[in-house]
């Protein structure tokens, strides 16, 4: 009794441990419920080490445990569930290197208590087979398209068409996960959830994948693809400064405002609703899961405009529309259509590398087919042996053949696994060899492949030469004007001194700089008598038009201001030309970079 009580107390502590650790992460400060739910479920996935178990390994575990032979509504007790989880985690440790082994007992305890709290809230001590399959297939690692294919195989009929009643049952089970992490009000099950996901009457595999992997997906399952995106961006680095916290780099998601130019937020600030300056939380934000330099963005835009890359890519590979029976292994489900052409496959086969479109699950299906052929051949041999006149001592009875078949089955499976591993190693070697060859080969000139870009570059350089000639002419004009301005200012000062000597007084104001100053400040005089009454024409020989116009109007004009206005006009014109020249230089340099980057990309595509 004491031992049973201690076990029960330990189970209660383990049951609360995962939720206490999740609360310590402070996920509730996230403003949006979608991100909040995805972050919580991602934490549970990593804490229970489910992210290390691929969906294919999970499917094989279901088959090895005999769950594929049970009805979806059949119930299993907690002790059998613990046995299944133990098998999953011990097999995982066999695949992991010795330096990355996990704590199997702790992982089993955390996951078992989480599943019991999620699907056995009333304490019956039993779970249905379908609820266990839905939970483990959703929370394990792997690609979302593979998970959805397996789920479709569980909810489709013998004709390969989705059964709405089974999909409704799937929603009931999978939406218990957000409820378990206290997000039930946002993503709880409703009776109208099925029709909001699929308004059509007949749903095949491709339609099922199109709707659940759309952007955005159905509202009740919007957290599912987000949880997979979170896993993909955890180690993504963005060399961009956050506009709110001023962090010089970002990890994870990056969000760019569609209204405020250059306004970007890291995922922590965006999730918490931080905003400053003219930005508001009501503005539309775009989520970025990768970083591209401005040069790469420009190169991609040019390639897209030239038709070098497809504008839109399908979210998943297209599968043949044919009826398939639901299976508990994906070995017999329909495979995607080959993407690579026959020429590429022929080249890879001639080089000794396997074709890239070959599925990793073809070998088990091929083994099953070989087993059936061997069994038929053994039966035929047994029949021939029974009808022959050979002595009974030399005959091989059917029992011996079946025994030999069972004894060699494990050996053939081991050989097939080793062959698959060898093919994967060969593929990796071939990929590394191709990358090395691409890096060592010289880059072709983009100008030889695209004459349009070459003509634009020549036009920019011709424009640059014209601007340089105009700037040189303006610099020469400005220099001549400044020399004339300096002589005229000296003349003006001499005339003022002569006028003051004739009148016997001093002017009320005088220039603030000496005669040697090349650019005097314009100072307005308060005395009318300080302006000369006549203009010596011999001093105006060779002077520009602005100076002649200033002297032609006599006394009322202010000569110094007119000259300075003319000098400022030329200076402004030169400044605008310099800016235009610099813009042309930048455009030419950017065009050269684009040509080099485009050459690299075209060479990679050609190879």
């Amino acid at each position: 009794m004491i031992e049973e009580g201690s076990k029960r107390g330990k189970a209660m502590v383990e049951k609360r441990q995962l939720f206490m650790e999740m609360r310590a992460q402070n996920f509730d400060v996230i403003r949006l419920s979608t991100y909040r739910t995805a972050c919580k479920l991602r934490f549970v996935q990593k804490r229970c080490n489910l992210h290390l178990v691929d969906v294919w390994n999970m499917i094989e575990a279901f088959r090895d445990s005999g769950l594929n032979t049970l009805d979806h509504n059949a119930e299993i007790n907690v002790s059998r569930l613990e046995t299944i989880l133990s098998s999953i985690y011990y097999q995982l440790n066999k695949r992991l290197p010795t330096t990355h082994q996990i704590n199997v007992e702790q992982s089993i305890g955390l996951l078992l208590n989480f599943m019991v709290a999620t699907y056995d809230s009333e304490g019956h001590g039993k779970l249905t087979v379908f609820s266990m399959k839905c939970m483990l297939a959703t929370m394990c690692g792997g690609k979302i398209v593979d998970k959805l294919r397996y789920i479709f195989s569980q909810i489709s009929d013998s004709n390969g068409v989705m059964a709405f009643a089974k999909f409704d049952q799937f929603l009931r089970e999978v939406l218990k996960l957000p409820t378990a992490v206290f997000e039930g009000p946002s993503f709880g099950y409703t009776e109208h959830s099925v029709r909001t996901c699929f308004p059509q009457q007949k749903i095949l595999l491709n339609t099922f994948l199109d709707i659940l992997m759309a952007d955005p997906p159905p509202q009740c399952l919007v957290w599912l693809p987000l949880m997979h995106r979170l896993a993909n961006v955890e180690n993504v680095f963005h060399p961009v400064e956050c506009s709110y916290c001023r962090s010089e780099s970002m990890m994870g998601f990056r969000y760019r405002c569609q209204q405020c130019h250059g306004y970007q937020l890291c995922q922590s600030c965006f999730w918490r609703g931080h905003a400053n300056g003219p930005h508001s939380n009501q503005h539309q934000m775009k989520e970025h899961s990768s970083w591209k330099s401005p040069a790469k963005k420009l190169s991609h835009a040019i390639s897209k405009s030239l038709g070098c890359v497809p504008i839109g890519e399908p979210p998943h590979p297209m599968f043949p529309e044919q009826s398939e029976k639901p299976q508990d292994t994906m070995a017999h489900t329909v495979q995607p259509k080959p993407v690579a052409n026959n020429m590429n496959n022929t080249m890879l086969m001639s080089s000794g590398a396997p074709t890239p479109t070959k599925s990793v699950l073809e070998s088990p299906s091929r083994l099953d087919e070989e087993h059936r052929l061997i069994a038929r051949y053994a039966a035929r041999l047994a029949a021939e042996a029974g009808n022959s006149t050979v002595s009974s001592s030399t005959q091989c009875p059917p029992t011996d053949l079946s025994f030999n078949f069972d004894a060699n089955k494990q050996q053939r499976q081991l050989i097939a696994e080793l062959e698959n591993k060898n093919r994967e190693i060969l593929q990796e070697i071939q990929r590394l060899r191709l990358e090395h060859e691409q890096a060592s080969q010289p880059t072709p000139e983009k100008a030889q492949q695209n004459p349009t870009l070459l003509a634009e570059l020549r036009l920019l350089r011709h424009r640059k030469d014209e601007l340089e000639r105009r700037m040189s002419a303006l610099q020469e004009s400005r220099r001549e004007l400044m020399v004339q301005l300096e002589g005229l200012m000296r003349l003006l000062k001499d005339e003022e001194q002569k006028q003051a000597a004739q009148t016997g007084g001093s002017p009320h104001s005088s220039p603030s700089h000496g005669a040697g100053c090349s650019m005097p400040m314009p100072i307005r005089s308060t005395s009318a008598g300080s302006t000369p009454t006549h203009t010596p024409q011999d001093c105006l020989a060779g002077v520009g038009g602005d100076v002649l116009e200033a002297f032609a109007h006599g006394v009322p004009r202010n000569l110094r201001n007119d000259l300075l206005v003319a000098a400022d006009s030329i200076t402004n014109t030169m400044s605008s030309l310099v800016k235009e020249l610099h813009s042309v230089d930048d455009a030419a340099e950017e065009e050269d970079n684009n040509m080099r980057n485009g050459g690299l990309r075209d060479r990679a595509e050609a190879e």
Side-chain angles (χ1 to χ4, degrees), residues 312-332:
E313 297 181 357
H316 63 84
M318 298 300 295
F319 299 91
E321 297 291 354
Q322 63 186 42
S323 300
E324 289 288 337
K325 294 182 179 180
Q327 300 288 335
D328 270 285
T329 65
M330 300 298 288
H332 301 286

Side-chain angles (χ1 to χ4, degrees), residues 5-243:
S6 62
K7 289 184 178 180
R8 187 176 303 173
K10 182 180 179 181
M12 291 296 295
V13 172
E14 292 179 349
K15 182 177 181 180
R16 297 175 181 176
Q17 179 182 355
L18 183 63
F19 295 101
M20 292 175 62
E21 292 179 0
M22 185 177 64
R23 287 193 180 96
Q25 299 296 319
N26 200 19
F27 290 122
D28 291 330
V29 300
I30 300 177
R31 182 170 56 98
L32 301 176
S33 60
T34 304
Y35 287 96
R36 191 168 59 244
T37 304
C39 288
K40 290 180 179 180
L41 292 178
R42 174 63 178 168
F43 172 79
V44 174
Q45 182 191 48
K46 295 182 66 176
R47 188 65 183 86
C48 297
N49 290 314
L50 279 175
H51 66 295
L52 302 175
V53 184
D54 192 80
V55 61
W56 306 111
N57 301 124
M58 192 65 71
I59 294 171
E60 292 300 322
F62 294 160
R63 186 181 64 176
D64 295 339
S65 302
L67 298 181
N68 56 327
T69 61
L70 299 178
D71 186 76
H72 283 175
N73 296 323
E75 294 182 342
I76 59 175
N77 53 28
V78 177
S79 60
R80 184 176 180 184
L81 174 61
E82 186 176 2
T83 303
I84 295 173
L85 297 182
S86 301
S87 174
I88 292 173
Y89 282 116
Y90 279 112
Q91 291 296 326
L92 171 62
N93 255 357
K94 292 180 180 179
R95 295 189 298 270
L96 293 176
T98 55
T99 56
H100 293 76
Q101 298 286 303
I102 64 171
N103 189 337
V104 175
E105 297 297 332
Q106 185 183 28
S107 301
I108 294 173
L110 291 175
L111 182 56
L112 180 64
N113 289 312
F114 179 76
M115 294 182 66
V116 171
T118 303
Y119 295 101
D120 188 27
S121 58
E122 297 180 358
H124 297 303
K126 294 181 179 181
L127 280 75
T128 64
V129 173
F130 189 67
S131 62
M132 190 188 69
K133 285 184 177 181
C134 291
M135 187 274 172
L136 293 177
T138 303
M139 294 294 292
C140 68
K143 298 180 180 179
I144 185 174
V145 62
D146 297 331
K147 295 182 181 181
L148 294 178
R149 285 180 60 201
Y150 173 72
I151 291 171
F152 184 82
S153 70
Q154 300 297 303
I155 62 175
S156 58
D157 56 17
S158 58
N159 297 321
V161 180
M162 188 191 76
F164 280 90
K166 293 183 179 180
F167 180 72
D168 181 76
Q169 185 181 3
F170 164 72
L171 284 183
R172 289 176 184 269
E173 301 298 336
V174 78
L175 291 180
K176 290 179 181 179
L177 292 174
T179 304
V181 293
F182 314 106
E183 296 295 335
S186 301
F187 299 104
Y189 171 80
T190 61
E191 297 179 355
H192 306 286
S193 299
V194 178
R195 289 301 173 184
T196 56
C197 295
F198 299 104
Q200 299 91 339
Q201 295 297 325
K202 184 178 180 180
I203 304 298
L204 299 177
L205 176 59
N206 289 324
T207 308
F208 181 80
L209 296 177
D210 288 339
I211 293 178
L212 292 190
M213 296 182 66
D215 188 15
Q219 180 61 31
C220 60
L221 295 174
V222 69
W223 52 269
L224 181 58
L226 179 58
M227 185 176 69
H228 288 78
R229 296 203 306 272
L230 279 173
N232 294 331
V233 302
E234 284 182 347
N235 298 320
V236 175
F237 175 77
H238 305 269
V240 182
E241 182 183 13
C242 178
S243 299

